[in-house]
Amino acid sequence: MANPCKSKEEFANEAIKRALRSLRKRHLSEEGAHASAFAALSRPIVSQGSEWKEKAESLEVELQQCYKAQSRVSEQLVVEIAESRTLKALVQEKETTTSDLQKDLTEARDECMQLKKDLEDKIKALEVVLSENAELKIQLEQMTVRAKNAETENKTLVDRMMLEKMKNAEQLNEANQLYDDMIKQLKASGLEKLARQQIDGIVRRSEQDADAFLQSNIPSTCKHRLQAHEGGCASILFENNSNKLITGGQDRTVKVWDTDSGSLISNLYGCLGSVLDLAITNDNRSVIAASSSNNLYAWDLSSGRVHHTLTGHTDKVCAVDISKVSSRHVVSAAYDRTIKVWDLLKGYCINTIIFHSNCNALCFSSDGQTIFSGHIDGNLRLWDIKTGKLLSEVAAHSFAITSISLSRNGNVVLTSGRDNLHNLFDLRSLEVSSTLKAAGNRVASNWSRSCISPDDKNVAAGSSDGSVYVWSASKAETVSTLKEHNSSILCCAWSGLGRPLASADKNGVVCIWA
């Protein structure tokens, strides 16, 4: 509050003083602000013009520098815009890749979940299998114990069987002694003819038939020319003690012919491949065919139906034979490098022989205990039918053996080879007793079959030139050359009655020679 002691004049004087002080300060400030202007005005005009010119030049230089800087900035801006666009495209590409990867990740997660589920299922299945395996292991241990017991029992039975065999052998020796005594008595009583009829347990029909049986005529003319099969005819054989001819060909059929009239008796169907070899039982009831379908087929000749299909080979079956002692045992060879022994009554394989060289031909020995086999390496091998062991081996030919035939007396075996030779081996010494060859004789295939006459005096074999060559076994020389075929001959067969002779070629033509 104002002091009441002061008068109004004092208040006015103080206010005037304050106004003068503020005016003075304002004047001084305005004077300082316009000092430069006053100084400039006080200078001459010429000096001010030069200063303005210098400033204008400096400003022009600064303006040019500004333009240059602006140009550089523009160029840099264009580059940065281009880089920005590139980076934007890269970003978009990365975003696309990221989205694809996210999809793949999602799919991988789903697949992982599925695999995890499958793994759990597999683990459960494995646990089940392990439990089953444990149970099977227990059963195996039990079966092992049973097998050991059975083996022990089997040994006991084998010992008993050997004792029985020894007893049987003794009885057989006694029977043989009695037989020898009986033969001596028969000879002494003048009944030699009857004794001759009972040799090997076979009763001949008559002495006249026996003489006819033992004599084989050398054929000279073609009695019948049969178009037996479509395609080649690879195997032919005669029924035992008969003139009926059985043929097998590439048309998958087996046919039975009457060689007297040349007429077809019956057809056997059911084979699924080409027939490569044939065999017939001793009682003429069944015929067996080796086939390229890897199987063997057994027909009943009376009904014409297949009553056995023997399966087990894994390649084409090229050879088959039946035991001369029993019609039960059959042996076969295939291009799976195996030889199999079959039980024809039971219809399954009872023994398998494995060898490194394929077998082209085989036959039983006369006692049915040995198998003769001819192989691609040219060797003749002898096998034990019971054990399957190799008994002996002979280098028979320089090339593949194509055919094996046993003589009627069982002492000689005929082998034919791709070296165009036909060798007669004495089985008692396993040495070549005679070698048959001819200038024009050429073996046509790996399964070309030759044959021995029933009296063991002659040998017949076909050639690739369509000729049938007949040799004398004792003289080892050609006694006849038969020409009727127009193509390579694959096989020959001689009737057990001594005549006729039959031959077959690659065109399926069969010739009956008389």
Side-chain angles (χ1 to χ4, degrees):
M1 292 182 58
N3 190 354
C5 292
K6 289 181 178 183
S7 62
K8 294 181 178 179
E9 292 179 358
E10 291 178 349
F11 280 112
N13 291 328
E14 289 178 358
I16 292 168
K17 288 178 180 180
R18 285 194 297 273
L20 288 173
R21 284 196 297 270
S22 62
L23 289 172
R24 191 179 291 113
K25 290 178 179 180
R26 182 176 179 184
H27 176 74
L28 289 174
S29 63
E30 290 179 353
E31 185 178 359
H34 296 286
S36 60
F38 290 146
L41 292 173
S42 63
R43 295 175 186 173
I45 297 300
V46 176
S47 61
Q48 291 181 357
S50 62
E51 290 179 359
W52 289 347
K53 185 177 180 180
E54 289 176 357
K55 288 183 179 181
E57 291 176 353
S58 63
L59 290 174
E60 186 176 357
V61 171
E62 289 178 1
L63 181 60
Q64 290 177 356
Q65 292 176 353
C66 289
Y67 284 152
K68 292 179 180 179
Q70 184 179 5
S71 176
R72 288 195 299 271
V73 169
S74 299
E75 292 176 355
Q76 185 175 1
L77 180 62
V78 171
V79 172
E80 290 180 353
I81 289 173
E83 291 179 353
S84 175
R85 289 176 180 175
T86 304
L87 291 174
K88 187 175 181 181
L90 289 174
V91 169
Q92 290 178 352
E93 184 178 355
K94 295 293 184 181
E95 289 178 353
T96 304
T97 306
T98 303
S99 63
D100 295 338
L101 290 175
Q102 286 179 350
K103 290 180 181 179
D104 295 340
L105 179 61
T106 304
E107 293 176 357
R109 285 176 179 174
D110 296 338
E111 186 178 358
C112 183
M113 293 297 292
Q114 184 64 37
L115 291 174
K116 187 176 180 181
K117 184 178 178 181
D118 294 341
L119 179 61
E120 293 175 353
D121 296 338
K122 295 292 184 182
I123 291 173
K124 292 179 181 178
L126 179 61
E127 292 175 352
V128 173
V129 170
L130 290 175
S131 62
E132 292 179 353
N133 185 39
E135 294 178 358
L136 290 173
K137 189 175 180 180
I138 295 172
Q139 294 179 5
L140 178 61
E141 292 175 354
Q142 296 175 353
M143 294 297 293
T144 303
V145 174
R146 292 180 184 177
K148 289 181 179 179
N149 296 333
E151 186 177 357
T152 303
E153 185 178 357
N154 183 50
K155 288 181 179 179
T156 304
L157 292 174
V158 168
D159 294 338
R160 291 172 59 185
M161 183 182 69
M162 293 303 294
L163 291 174
E164 291 295 330
K165 283 189 174 182
M166 291 175 64
K167 292 179 181 179
N168 291 335
E170 292 177 358
Q171 294 176 359
L172 182 60
N173 290 333
E174 293 177 359
N176 288 334
Q177 186 63 40
L178 291 173
Y179 178 77
D180 291 338
D181 294 340
M182 183 186 69
I183 292 297
K184 291 178 181 179
Q185 293 175 5
L186 290 173
K187 288 182 178 180
S189 62
L191 297 178
E192 295 182 5
K193 184 183 295 184
L194 180 60
R196 191 162 57 249
Q197 290 174 348
Q198 292 178 346
I199 293 175
D200 297 334
I202 300 174
V203 180
R204 304 296 185 190
R205 292 173 295 180
S206 66
E207 187 65 21
Q208 181 180 359
D209 289 340
D211 292 338
F213 178 83
L214 293 174
Q215 294 179 358
S216 300
N217 295 331
I218 299 175
S220 58
T221 58
C222 180
K223 182 180 179 181
H224 298 290
R225 179 185 173 92
L226 311 174
Q227 184 60 53
H229 295 274
E230 296 180 3
C233 179
S235 181
I236 58 176
L237 60 81
F238 283 91
E239 287 188 354
N240 296 310
N241 302 328
S242 170
N243 284 335
K244 290 182 179 179
L245 179 67
I246 304 173
T247 65
Q250 291 183 358
D251 55 5
R252 305 180 180 182
T253 63
V254 175
K255 299 181 179 182
V256 183
W257 304 84
D258 184 346
T259 57
D260 291 332
S261 63
S263 59
L264 178 64
I265 298 175
S266 62
N267 282 302
L268 304 178
Y269 299 104
C271 182
L272 300 180
S274 299
V275 178
L276 300 180
D277 199 11
L278 291 169
I280 191 168
T281 55
N282 296 328
D283 55 9
N284 290 334
R285 291 184 178 179
S286 298
V287 63
I288 300 177
S291 170
S292 62
S293 65
N294 307 346
N295 299 327
L296 293 103
Y297 301 89
W299 286 272
D300 186 303
L301 281 175
S302 60
S303 64
R305 295 180 180 177
V306 175
H307 60 81
H308 277 308
T309 299
L310 305 179
T311 60
H313 284 294
T314 58
D315 206 337
K316 58 185 177 184
V317 186
C318 56
V320 63
D321 194 25
I322 297 177
S323 172
K324 280 77 175 173
V325 177
S326 169
S327 296
R328 182 171 184 172
H329 290 143
V330 176
V331 63
S332 64
Y335 264 35
D336 55 7
R337 293 185 174 87
T338 64
I339 298 173
K340 290 184 179 291
V341 181
W342 309 82
D343 188 321
L344 193 58
L345 295 181
K346 296 180 180 179
Y348 59 77
C349 177
I350 58 176
N351 196 7
T352 298
I353 300 170
I354 302 174
F355 200 70
H356 63 82
S357 178
N358 278 329
C359 174
N360 284 337
L362 50 74
C363 71
F364 270 104
S365 62
S366 57
D367 61 0
Q369 300 301 312
T370 306
I371 302 169
F372 305 107
S373 62
H375 297 257
I376 284 182
D377 59 7
N379 287 1
L380 171 66
R381 295 180 172 88
L382 281 67
W383 308 87
D384 185 283
I385 187 175
K386 293 181 179 179
T387 63
K389 292 183 179 179
L390 180 63
L391 301 177
S392 185
E393 183 174 358
V394 181
H397 294 269
S398 57
F399 295 104
I401 294 177
T402 67
S403 174
I404 293 181
S405 301
L406 186 68
S407 65
R408 187 162 188 81
N409 60 21
N411 295 328
V412 176
V413 66
L414 167 68
T415 64
S416 299
R418 292 307 298 268
D419 55 3
N420 304 318
L421 299 180
H422 308 277
N423 292 327
L424 292 169
F425 282 88
D426 189 331
L427 294 179
R428 291 165 291 189
S429 62
L430 286 181
E431 293 181 354
V432 177
S433 60
S434 182
T435 297
L436 312 176
K437 58 183 178 179
N441 180 240
R442 296 289 182 271
V443 176
S445 74
N446 279 352
W447 305 284
S448 293
R449 312 298 189 192
S450 57
C451 63
I452 306 177
S453 63
D455 59 3
D456 299 336
K457 294 181 179 179
N458 300 303
V459 170
S463 175
S464 60
D465 63 358
S467 301
V468 178
Y469 291 83
V470 182
W471 289 270
S472 170
S474 59
K475 298 180 181 179
E477 60 183 18
T478 305
V479 295
S480 180
T481 302
L482 310 176
K483 297 183 178 181
E484 182 66 28
H485 293 276
N486 297 323
S487 62
S488 300
I489 297 175
L490 299 180
C491 52
C492 294
W494 221 308
S495 171
L497 299 178
R499 57 181 180 271
L501 171 69
S503 58
D505 63 26
K506 284 188 175 181
N507 291 334
V509 175
V510 174
C511 290
I512 310 299
W513 304 91

